[in-house]
Amino acid sequence: MSAAPDQYTPPAWTRPLAWFTNPHGLNDDRRLREAVQGKTVMVTGASFGIGEATAKRLASMGAKVLLVARTQDKLEVVAQAIRAAGGEAVVYAVDLSKPHDAAALAERVLKEHGHLDILLNNAGRSIRRSIHESYDRFHDFERTMAINYLGPVQLVLGFIPSMRARKQGQIINISTWGVKIPPGANWAAYQASKAAFDVWLRSVSTEIKPDGIDVTSIYPAVVYTRMSAPTKALHHMPGMSVEEAAHVIERAIVERPDDISPPWLWGMQVASVTLSKPVRWLMQKTYRPAFTKR
Ligand SMILES: NC(=O)c1ccc[n+]([C@@H]2O[C@H](COP(=O)([O-])OP(=O)(O)OC[C@H]3O[C@@H](n4cnc5c(N)ncnc54)[C@H](OP(=O)(O)O)[C@@H]3O)[C@@H](O)[C@H]2O)c1
């Protein structure tokens, strides 16, 4: 079996639809440089995919980037590329699914850098598995909650007091469009864990916004990375390259909106409420459970 590629290319027919299918980014070096120059930015999940591309881009615009993930060798490669291009990067090899380690990371970063300007919560894990295949896999639900919810909660808790004291800061969360529409089959563990953090952070944002801390939730559609690569159906769907996803995050940093979504998502949300019965009927009718196929 060949390994899934780290990244793959969007099908050509989807490109004319990009304005509608993808969240809009901002590719403006001048404004990005103004927003991040001299700032300390933590990028979780910086060893691959969206995080790697974003960290490189922010560093190239003058940010000091703190690279967080588990794979130290890969983080060092990313850091070396950043330094070779004249940027500043510090590596933190941490397993964020362990809340104790996430708390220790926040403490260490505040000690070593004094403060954090921007936290990009991007590290994540997806699992696509039907419930039929999950009866003896309770650990799937534990590990998605650990990395997509509990670890990030602990990390954010570690930085809020310092951001509040400084009356400034930004927390950006890479959520997923799946949390905004009726949940699709096979993604229960992933979608529930992403939804948990999405709701938690938006709830917290109401409390911390008056203290000068902005929160932006980003709802990307498909991004062509090693995470989406194993799901072959996604190869034929409209989506974004990691560089395009990085531009969406850049827009979040420059404009600091509450959320960024693809244009179609709003219509889907309305339809999922106003047409909830037909939508549910359609989803159930079109789903073919694995165990009925046998
Ligand atoms: N790709 C998509 O279509 C898509 C769509 C919507 C949302 N998203 C979200 O976008 C984010 C980035 O995904 P991606 O597509 O760029 O995936 P990716 O290429 O697989 O990158 C995931 C990153 O998370 C890190 N990570 C995973 N588990 C970790 C842990 N326990 N502790 C620390 N770091 C950990 C990985 O590094 P290590 O393995 O080195 O730890 C890696 O750097 C995720 O939150 C995902 O849910 C992706």
Side-chain angles (χ1 to χ4, degrees), residues 45 47 50 70-71 95-96 122 175 190 194 221 223 225-226:
S47 52
I50 300 169
R70 292 166 302 180
T71 317
D95 184 346
L96 292 171
N122 166 75
S175 191
Y190 177 64
K194 294 293 278 188
V223 185
T225 66
R226 67 174 191 159

Side-chain angles (χ1 to χ4, degrees), residues 174-194:
I174 308 303
S175 191
T176 178
W177 55 275
V179 309
K180 289 271 191 172
I181 59 173
N186 296 331
W187 296 94
Y190 177 64
Q191 292 188 121
S193 61
K194 294 293 278 188

Side-chain angles (χ1 to χ4, degrees), residues 25-182:
L26 180 77
N27 186 3
D28 185 330
D29 286 5
R30 185 187 58 79
R31 290 179 71 195
L32 182 62
R33 191 179 290 282
E34 275 172 18
V36 301
Q37 192 148 38
K39 297 269 171 71
T40 304
V41 183
M42 177 182 284
V43 180
T44 72
S47 52
F48 296 97
I50 300 169
E52 176 184 359
T54 306
K56 286 178 173 169
R57 177 89 175 125
L58 299 182
S60 75
M61 291 293 127
K64 173 167 67 175
V65 289
L66 314 184
L67 309 174
V68 183
R70 292 166 302 180
T71 317
Q72 176 141 16
D73 295 357
K74 184 65 201 305
L75 287 177
E76 297 291 356
V77 170
V78 176
Q80 271 161 25
I82 287 172
R83 291 180 199 128
E88 196 177 354
V90 185
V91 165
Y92 294 94
V94 175
D95 184 346
L96 292 171
S97 68
K98 298 179 177 156
H100 180 269
D101 294 2
L105 173 66
E107 214 177 298
R108 187 174 157 202
V109 163
L110 291 176
K111 209 165 160 190
E112 292 177 2
H113 303 278
H115 69 273
L116 185 71
D117 293 294
I118 302 172
L119 169 59
L120 172 59
N121 179 61
N122 166 75
R125 174 189 191 114
S126 80
I127 293 180
R128 179 177 183 270
R129 184 163 289 129
S130 79
I131 206 65
H132 168 67
E133 296 165 310
S134 307
Y135 301 149
D136 57 356
R137 294 186 63 93
F138 184 70
H139 59 280
D140 279 356
F141 303 94
E142 289 179 313
R143 57 192 182 159
T144 44
M145 284 308 261
I147 179 58
N148 296 338
Y149 178 49
L150 295 171
V153 165
Q154 180 59 80
L155 196 60
V156 171
L157 290 176
F159 287 116
I160 288 178
S162 150
M163 287 184 173
R164 265 188 158 153
R166 298 180 71 235
K167 297 215 170 302
Q168 56 181 289
Q170 186 178 19
I171 301 165
I172 300 170
N173 180 37
I174 308 303
S175 191
T176 178
W177 55 275
V179 309
K180 289 271 191 172
I181 59 173

Side-chain angles (χ1 to χ4, degrees), residues 4 23 38 52 93 125 132-133 158 164 177 208 218 237 260 265-266 280:
E52 176 184 359
R125 174 189 191 114
H132 168 67
E133 296 165 310
R164 265 188 158 153
W177 55 275
I208 61 179
I218 298 180
M237 281 176 66
I260 302 179
L265 192 55
W266 181 85
R280 191 178 300 230

